[in-house]
Amino acid sequence: EVQLQASGGGLVQAGGSMTLSCVASGVTFDDHDYAIGWFRQAPGKERQGVACFSSSDGRAYYADSVKGRFTISSVSAKNTAYLQMSSLKPEDTAVYYCARDDSGSSCLNLNSWGRGTQLTVSS
């Protein structure tokens, strides 16, 4: 069974930085192309896609609201994806989830989810 575990959340001041990690178990990234991404959900708001990386084209995709501030990366040897966040704003406060495409490498098919990690940005 494939499991994803996000970690690294916490409390940070506006303007600060934080890096989230997502470790996948039960799967080996190096075995085939993959897509892994990050979503977030704030209280009372819909879930929002934040960033995604696909190894098939080596590209990263970002929501407009985080472009230039967030960077997604992946270390396939560690089965781990990261979300580096800088210039954080209070509106970035949310529970952050990582997800993967369990049948391929499409950022449009992130359908296998892990438990989230809370990020709170204070003003």
Side-chain angles (χ1 to χ4, degrees):
E1 179 185 3
V2 178
Q3 292 187 335
L4 301 175
Q5 180 64 58
S7 63
L11 176 64
V12 63
Q13 288 189 330
S17 301
M18 185 163 285
T19 297
L20 305 181
S21 300
C22 174
V23 179
S25 59
V27 66
T28 302
F29 284 5
D30 283 340
D31 283 349
H32 48 71
D33 282 330
Y34 63 92
I36 192 159
W38 292 89
F39 291 77
R40 67 186 180 186
Q41 188 163 21
K45 294 189 176 181
E46 293 187 354
R47 187 176 63 198
Q48 176 192 25
V50 175
C52 181
F53 171 79
S54 173
S55 69
S56 61
D57 60 10
R59 295 183 62 180
Y61 302 87
Y62 298 95
D64 288 343
S65 58
V66 306
K67 280 181 181 177
R69 300 189 299 121
F70 290 13
T71 301
I72 186 172
S73 61
S74 177
V75 179
S76 59
K78 295 184 177 180
N79 294 333
T80 301
Y82 302 94
L83 185 67
Q84 296 173 280
M85 305 176 291
S86 62
S87 301
L88 284 164
K89 305 174 182 180
E91 51 264 43
D92 294 319
T93 295
V95 177
Y96 283 72
Y97 302 87
C98 57
R100 62 182 286 272
D101 177 358
D102 68 358
S103 60
S105 58
S106 172
C107 282
L108 299 178
N109 191 45
L110 300 180
N111 54 11
S112 179
W113 293 79
R115 297 182 66 178
T117 184
Q118 174 72 46
L119 172 70
T120 303
V121 184
S122 63
S123 57

